[in-house]
């Protein structure tokens, strides 16, 4: 396990070793990846861990939750009004509301805007406030 | 109520230029930007941009320069500040850091920029379908390549540019499809994310689809303020009507840049400068000479800027309203049952009632109205009501008056 304040390399596709997402969640590890070069100096390089539906996910302190989830392989981290319809981020600028999740108990948070913080609890949300609690995580949450 | 001489909404090239011009003319300026840092579209671009006075400059450097000029001229820049409403008499409602308050502005420059033109096709709500701006944000702000095998749905320079950016970040662009073709015959397949793009008999395995069909003005706040709009039937976009000094039909309220017509950065900057100077002039700083120069620069920049994007067909398949999950068939039925305006369609189907407030479905509803109801002329825009951005009831209820 990586220490919370460890400095981790930019290209960290394999850093997160949790392979089994919650039931119904396809984990597509390796589709999205970090780039070695980074133009944004303001992004913190401090790794923090947070929970997504009980699974441990590692992200950079302050980056949007949606970005950390995408890199961790959770593309379909949100649900639409039509409950069968998986969603991820679409516009990544806070405009489309495709990426709504529950953050620390608060529903309807846009994952593309909410910054990742140490110990944060992120949960999948179905529709408007109907919560999904069917997650299971082999690595033990 | 708090007050300010000039409030600028939006921290892109137009908004920053307006703030610089007005602040240098001695006006007390507050610029409100909803992003974590100012720069707007300059934050997520890599291609160098043309300077208004010739030469090119990297986009992020230009953003830094503009921010520096604005702050040293005395403008106050607030990041992460969302204007969630504009009430009569130029009263803005602002949300920032779990707080909400009203701000009266003697003058307002709306520089809310543009958003990607939506291109609906079956499967466009799947994870892995992204707007061009999303891909740029991911690549250049968050340093993440969102996929491996990309399809670009777009045409012209916009599609060239995003394909180039994906390639140079190490992605593979395996196919490129015209938006028109995608709307008429295309679809995207997958269960929990994109696995293939299909056009007719051709199926291409991809994991990411980028929609790069150009930009449309984001006039939501100007509409809410009561500004009269003109409707562009070619592109199904509404833009605030303006006089020669970029003032809308609401006295004291100006609109500049992509929020009226997405062109390029030099035009946005020139418009911002005109709007900032015109606002300053109307507050009693008759800088006629500077304003005349700014207007001449705007004219020159406009003449050089590219032409707008092609006209798209109406989408008749798949989901149109992403927020409420309303499909094209439901909208067609509403029109067949007598709906003649976008507000009518909204009431009958809920399309446009979601959190995005119609941002990504209105152009397509307008296109269906043109096609199915045979409406050729002007279509009224959807009524724009507060809140323009999602805001928690606790924060809203505690709004400082």
């Amino acid at each position: 396990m990586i220490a919370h304040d460890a400095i981790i390399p930019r290209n960290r596709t394999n850093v997160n070793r949790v392979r089994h997402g919650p039931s119904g969640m396809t984990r597509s590890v390796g589709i999205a990846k970090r780039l070695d070069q980074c133009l944004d100096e303001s992004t913190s390089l401090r790794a923090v861990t947070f929970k997504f539906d009980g699974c441990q996910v590692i992200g950079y302190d302050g980056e949007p939750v949606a970005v950390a989830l995408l890199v961790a392989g959770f593309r379909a981290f949100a649900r639409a009004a039509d409950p069968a319809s998986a969603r991820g981020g679409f516009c990544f600028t806070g405009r489309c509301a495709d990426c709504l999740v529950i953050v620390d108990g608060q529903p309807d948070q846009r994952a593309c805007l909410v910054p990742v913080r140490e110990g944060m609890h992120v949960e999948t949300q179905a529709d408007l406030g109907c919560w999904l609690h069917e997650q299971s995580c082999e690595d033990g949450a | 109520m708090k007050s300010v001489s000039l409030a600028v909404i939006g921290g892109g090239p137009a908004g920053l230029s307006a703030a610089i011009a007005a602040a240098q003319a001695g006006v007390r300026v507050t610029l409100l930007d909803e992003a974590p840092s100012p720069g707007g579209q300059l934050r997520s671009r890599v291609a160098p941009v043309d300077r208004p006075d010739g030469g090119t400059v990297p986009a992020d450097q230009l953003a830094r320069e503009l921010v520096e000029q604005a702050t040293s001229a005395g403008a106050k820049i607030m990041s992460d500040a969302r204007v969630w409403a504009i009430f009569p008499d130029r009263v803005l409602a602002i949300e920032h850091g779990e707080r909400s308050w009203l701000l009266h502005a003697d003058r307002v420059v709306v520089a809310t920029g543009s958003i990607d033109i939506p291109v609906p096709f079956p499967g466009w709500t799947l994870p892995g379908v992204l707007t061009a701006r999303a891909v740029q944000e991911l690549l250049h702000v968050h340093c993440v390549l969102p996929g491996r095998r990309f399809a670009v749905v777009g045409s012209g320079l916009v599609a060239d540019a995003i394909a180039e950016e994906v390639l140079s970040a190490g992605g593979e662009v395996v196919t490129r499809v015209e938006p028109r073709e995608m709307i008429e015959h295309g679809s995207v397949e997958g269960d929990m994310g994109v696995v293939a793009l299909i056009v007719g008999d051709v199926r291409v395995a991809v994991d990411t689809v980028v929609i790069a069909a150009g930009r449309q003005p984001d006039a939501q706040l100007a509409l809410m303020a009561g500004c009269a709009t003109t409707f562009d039937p070619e592109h199904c976009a509404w833009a605030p009507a303006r006089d020669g000094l970029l003032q809308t039909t609401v006295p004291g309220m100006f609109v500049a840049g992509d929020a009226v017509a997405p062109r390029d950065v030099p035009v946005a900057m020139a418009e911002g400068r005109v709007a900032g100077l015109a606002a300053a002039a109307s507050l009693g700083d008759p800088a006629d000479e500077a304003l005349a120069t700014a207007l001449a620069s705007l004219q020159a920049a406009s003449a050089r800027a590219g032409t707008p994007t092609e006209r798209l067909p109406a989408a008749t398949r798949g989901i149109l309203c992403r927020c409420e999950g309303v499909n094209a068939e439901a909208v067609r039925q509403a029109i067949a049952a007598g709906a003649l305006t976008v507000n009518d369609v909204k009431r009958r189907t809920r399309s446009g009632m979601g959190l995005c407030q119609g941002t990504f479905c209105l152009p397509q509803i307008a296109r269906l109205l043109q096609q199915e109801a045979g409406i050729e002329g002007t279509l009224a825009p959807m009524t724009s009501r507060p809140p323009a951005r999602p805001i928690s009831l606790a924060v809203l209820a505690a709004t400082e008056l």
Side-chain angles (χ1 to χ4, degrees):
Chain A
M1 187 52 61
I2 287 175
H4 294 165
D5 57 352
I7 303 299
I8 55 177
R10 270 290 168 189
N11 192 337
R12 36 138 268 184
T13 314
N14 298 318
V15 166
N16 196 310
R17 298 185 202 288
V18 182
R19 294 254 166 217
H20 298 278
S23 57
M25 284 288 170
T26 305
R27 192 108 188 237
S28 338
V29 175
I31 287 186
K33 67 165 188 178
R34 302 268 180 197
L35 298 171
D36 290 330
Q37 80 278 16
C38 189
L39 307 174
D40 185 26
E41 296 141 11
S42 66
T43 303
S44 155
L45 284 170
R46 199 167 72 90
V48 293
T49 57
F50 67 101
K51 294 273 174 68
F52 174 59
D53 283 351
C55 299
Q56 193 148 299
V57 177
I58 299 170
Y60 287 128
D61 193 27
E63 75 178 348
V65 166
V67 173
L69 290 177
L70 198 64
V71 176
F74 292 109
R75 288 216 294 176
F77 57 79
R79 291 287 185 282
D82 166 11
S85 170
R87 299 284 175 97
F90 175 61
C91 79
F92 278 84
T93 51
R95 295 308 302 278
C96 73
D98 260 33
C99 64
L100 298 183
V101 291
I102 302 162
V103 177
D104 291 334
Q106 188 110 332
D108 289 338
Q109 303 299 299
R110 282 163 292 171
C112 71
L113 297 182
V114 176
V116 166
R117 297 290 179 230
E118 177 66 43
M120 178 181 257
H121 282 262
V122 180
E123 293 166 88
T124 308
Q125 159 180 333
D127 203 348
L128 300 171
C130 298
W131 298 7
L132 284 181
H133 283 296
E134 54 187 53
Q135 69 270 22
S136 63
C137 184
E138 281 193 9
D139 283 47
Chain B
M1 193 188 303
K2 292 188 173 77
S3 72
V4 68
S5 301
L6 171 65
V8 177
I9 309 173
L16 285 168
S17 301
I20 293 166
Q24 284 175 348
V27 175
R28 201 159 54 90
V29 180
T30 296
L31 183 148
L32 304 150
D33 188 45
E34 67 177 329
S37 61
Q41 58 166 304
L42 299 174
R43 292 173 74 228
S44 54
R45 274 174 65 138
V46 274
V49 293
D50 296 330
R51 278 190 193 278
D53 47 5
T56 61
V57 58
D60 56 335
Q61 188 190 322
L62 179 60
R64 279 196 299 272
E65 285 176 16
L66 293 176
V67 170
E68 161 63 26
Q69 283 174 41
T71 40
S72 59
K76 185 182 167 197
I77 297 180
M78 258 188 118
S79 287
D80 204 17
R82 283 157 291 277
V83 175
W84 59 266
I86 300 184
F87 296 110
D89 300 319
R90 298 178 306 278
V91 172
L92 276 47
I94 300 157
E95 185 254 315
H96 168 76
E98 301 288 296
R99 263 185 68 218
S100 168
W101 67 92
L102 298 184
L103 175 73
H104 176 267
D106 295 327
R107 299 290 180 269
V108 176
V109 173
V110 178
T112 42
S114 54
I115 39 183
D116 281 280
I117 291 174
V119 179
F121 44 81
W124 78 309
T125 54
L126 278 171
V129 179
L130 298 167
T131 65
R133 177 67 179 269
V135 173
Q136 290 180 316
E137 285 275 324
L138 286 166
L139 285 178
H140 310 308
V141 179
H142 306 301
C143 308
V144 165
L145 178 65
R148 287 179 171 181
R149 291 171 58 82
F150 287 74
V152 174
V153 174
S155 51
L157 296 174
V158 194
D160 292 346
I162 199 74
E164 185 57 43
E165 288 177 41
V166 167
L167 285 172
S168 53
E172 202 184 335
V173 178
V174 291
T175 186
R176 189 167 144 173
V177 188
E178 291 290 322
R180 162 180 301 277
E181 191 151 21
M182 221 37 215
I183 290 174
E184 286 171 347
H185 318 289
S187 61
V188 164
E189 218 176 58
D191 180 21
M192 301 300 278
V194 174
V195 294
L197 179 138
I198 297 148
V199 183
D201 297 337
V202 183
R203 184 181 188 277
V204 187
V206 294
D207 55 48
T208 307
V209 177
V210 190
I211 296 177
R215 316 270 303 164
Q216 60 183 5
D218 182 359
Q220 185 186 15
L221 281 171
L223 278 167
M224 194 183 290
C227 301
T229 54
T230 55
F231 177 67
D232 169 5
E234 276 287 303
H235 303 98
C236 285
W238 290 269
R242 302 180 298 178
D243 65 15
L245 292 176
L246 314 189
Q247 187 164 209
T248 66
T249 54
V250 172
M253 186 166 287
F254 300 78
V255 184
D258 278 14
V260 179
R263 304 289 292 276
D264 60 13
V265 172
V267 173
M269 289 175 65
E271 287 216 340
R273 185 162 172 75
V274 168
L277 287 171
S282 68
L283 286 166
D285 175 68
D288 294 340
E289 206 171 307
L291 194 49
T293 313
L295 278 167
S297 312
L298 172 57
Q299 217 162 26
S302 299
R304 282 192 302 266
T307 47
T309 43
E310 59 155 349
R311 180 176 192 157
L312 292 179
T316 55
R317 306 169 305 135
I319 285 175
L320 287 198
C321 168
R322 304 174 64 95
C323 297
E324 300 290 318
V326 180
N327 61 36
E329 193 45 44
V331 174
R332 290 173 84 176
Q333 280 170 15
I335 295 168
L340 284 170
T341 66
V342 287
N343 272 339
D344 255 1
V345 171
K346 178 176 89 167
R347 287 184 201 107
R348 289 167 196 248
T349 64
R350 292 197 60 83
S351 56
M353 282 190 189
L355 284 178
C356 92
Q357 290 289 287
T359 301
F360 290 103
C361 67
L362 283 183
Q364 285 304 324
I365 292 169
R367 284 190 186 99
L368 271 177
L369 280 164
Q370 288 177 327
Q371 180 181 295
E372 311 272 305
I375 298 168
E376 281 172 10
T378 295
L379 270 168
M382 191 178 88
T383 311
S384 174
R385 291 195 183 86
R389 294 291 182 277
I391 177 172
S392 86
L393 278 174
V395 173
L396 186 143
T399 297
E400 295 151 37
L401 303 176

